[in-house]
Amino acid sequence: KQEVTQIPAALSVPEGENLVLNCSFTDSAIYNLQWFRQDPGKGLTSLLLIQSSQREQTSGRLNASLDKSSGRSTLYIAASQPGDSATYLCAIHGSSNTGKLIFGQGTTLQVKP
Amino acid sequence: IAGITQAPTSQILAAGRRMTLRCTQDMRHNAMYWYRQDLGLGLRLIHYSNTAGTTGKGEVPDGYSVSRANTDDFPLTLASAVPSQTSVYFCASSDQPGLRLQFFGPGTRLTVL
């Protein structure tokens, strides 16, 4: 059974720092991997989707990498800002037919001014 | 603004009552999904629909039913609510079923007493 883990559960950094969020999964035979952002009391906003054949995707200050052989993905945030404070979730597509996403429990990031 | 709307935003419900959570999208997406988010358990798929007229069971379907009469709407019904169904419910959609980017609604916070 595929399991997705995100460590640490919470992270606090000063503004301007570059940081890395980690996501690991138990079964390397994955389809796509998606990173989301969730603000308190809000829905999920999709940040990046990495297809299983790709190694990384970039959007602005965000860069997500995927290493299937080691069962890991990382989300790199450059020059962090207070507005980046949120919970970041990674999710793996668990089925090519249903579109089912298997989520990690998230890392809550606080960027202090 | 295109996207997904959910109603109600929040609801307190007595156990045993029937409740329908509404979800509407205006992106003409074929696939739609219902997830629940619980502290410590993350998001889990309840039901999905690959296209209008079809539905399927996700990871935690018991106690819930869905219908997909048209492309835009995907209501989730709790026939007889129980306290364990207290959760935040998110509706999502993707342009096609399977390994596609999923877009999420703002969520419905449901409390069953």
Side-chain angles (χ1 to χ4, degrees), chain A residues 31-32 34 36 38 42-44 46 49 89 93 95-101 103 105, chain B residues 33 35 37 40-43 45 48 50 59 90 97-102 104-106:
Chain A
Y31 298 99
N32 299 342
Q34 202 166 345
F36 294 88
Q38 185 176 27
K42 304 292 185 182
L44 281 68
S46 180
L49 181 144
L89 298 158
H93 275 103
S95 167
S96 61
N97 295 324
T98 68
K100 170 186 175 182
L101 286 172
F103 282 85
Q105 295 194 28
Chain B
Y33 315 87
Y35 294 86
Q37 185 177 32
L41 297 174
L43 283 96
L45 182 67
Y48 66 93
N50 283 343
E59 185 180 354
F90 289 101
L99 310 175
R100 311 289 288 187
L101 202 64
Q102 290 188 19
F104 281 71

Side-chain angles (χ1 to χ4, degrees), chain A residues 3-15:
Chain A
E3 293 183 359
V4 181
T5 304
Q6 293 183 250
I7 295 174
L11 181 64
S12 181
V13 301
E15 181 177 4

